[in-house]
Amino acid sequence: MSNLDDLVLRKPKLEDGLAVNELVASCPPLDANSSYCNFLQCSHFADTCIAAEADDQILGFVSAYPIPSKPDTLFVWQIAVHESARGQSLAPRMLEKLLERPVCEGIRFLETTINSSNAASRRVFERLAAELNANLQVSPWLDSERHFDSLHPSEPLVRIGPFNQPREDL
Ligand SMILES: CC(C)(COP(=O)(O)OP(=O)(O)OC[C@H]1O[C@@H](n2cnc3c(N)ncnc32)[C@H](O)[C@@H]1OP(=O)(O)O)[C@@H](O)C(=O)NCCC(=O)NCCS
């Protein structure tokens, strides 16, 4: 098991792209990405992505971005935690640290998709919703037959929020 004592949670940089690509590829059931995609996440989307590094190794990564048409909503694209670092709350720590960034000040909702067979991922988001004292709603979104030609399981949409309410809304 990886020792997370010296863990650093930080913004990714362009040079992390390949290591992130390899981490994601080693974390089924995540879809593997092109390395190009991970280079974009580690550069253009670095402000809303987070890397967890220990001993010069990337052990965790969250890719996310504010939805262009819903700037108060952060869409979490993928979370990957190296097998050796699982079960130590690294995923929730990365999500919480990301939400603390000034760039997320206006974020009131978080959306993601969770494949119904991914119990670990479901637990991470259920616990996050409880931590944020926010509702968690699940609705159909990407359907296996309709959108993936039955080549991929359905990806229901999970929406958490509102949280971080401005004082005047309380
Ligand atoms: C889902 C994932 C990101 C969770 O990361 P994590 O840092 O291990 O999260 P946590 O430590 O909070 O554990 C979450 C759940 O994982 C499970 N878990 C605990 N230890 C584990 C281990 N050693 N190995 C696998 N799963 C474990 C538990 O069900 C735990 O829930 P619980 O604490 O209520 O029992 C990680 O398992 C992963 O990368 N999986 C593969 C990729 C994936 O499915 N990503 C999410 C889809 S976006």
Side-chain angles (χ1 to χ4, degrees):
M1 183 179 277
S2 289
N3 180 357
L4 302 189
D5 286 350
D6 295 323
L7 189 79
V8 178
L9 297 180
R10 60 164 175 81
K11 257 190 222 185
K13 49 187 190 302
L14 185 68
E15 289 68 25
D16 295 321
L18 203 56
V20 169
N21 185 258
E22 285 163 5
L23 174 68
V24 170
S26 75
C27 286
L30 292 181
D31 290 335
N33 305 130
S34 66
S35 51
Y36 194 90
C37 160
N38 290 116
F39 281 115
L40 293 183
Q41 291 172 345
C42 291
S43 51
H44 298 173
F45 295 95
D47 283 350
T48 50
C49 292
I50 187 163
E53 185 181 48
D55 295 330
D56 290 330
Q57 196 194 350
I58 300 225
L59 294 174
F61 191 74
V62 176
S63 49
Y65 56 86
I67 297 179
S69 58
K70 291 193 271 185
D72 66 351
T73 303
L74 187 73
F75 187 81
V76 176
W77 179 349
Q78 286 178 323
I79 309 182
V81 171
H82 191 276
E83 210 169 355
S84 67
R86 289 187 192 158
Q88 299 182 71
S89 300
L90 182 50
R93 279 159 71 187
M94 288 191 290
L95 287 169
E96 280 158 22
K97 194 83 179 169
L98 185 55
L99 288 171
E100 283 169 12
R101 286 193 190 152
V103 71
C104 290
E105 216 172 68
I107 295 295
R108 307 276 175 262
F109 296 88
L110 185 148
E111 289 186 5
T112 193
T113 63
I114 305 177
N115 175 324
S116 59
S117 60
N118 196 335
S121 178
R122 207 169 51 241
R123 285 293 297 143
V124 168
F125 286 101
E126 282 169 359
R127 285 210 311 257
L128 181 73
E131 202 63 38
L132 294 168
N133 212 2
N135 290 330
L136 182 155
Q137 285 182 324
V138 185
S139 54
W141 194 40
L142 298 175
D143 178 73
S144 178
E145 263 177 60
R146 186 159 161 231
H147 300 107
F148 291 112
D149 205 10
S150 302
L151 297 170
H152 188 291
S154 294
E155 293 279 355
L157 186 71
V158 172
R159 182 167 163 88
I160 294 174
F163 52 86
N164 269 346
Q165 295 277 69
R167 289 199 69 75
E168 61 271 21
D169 289 0
L170 292 175

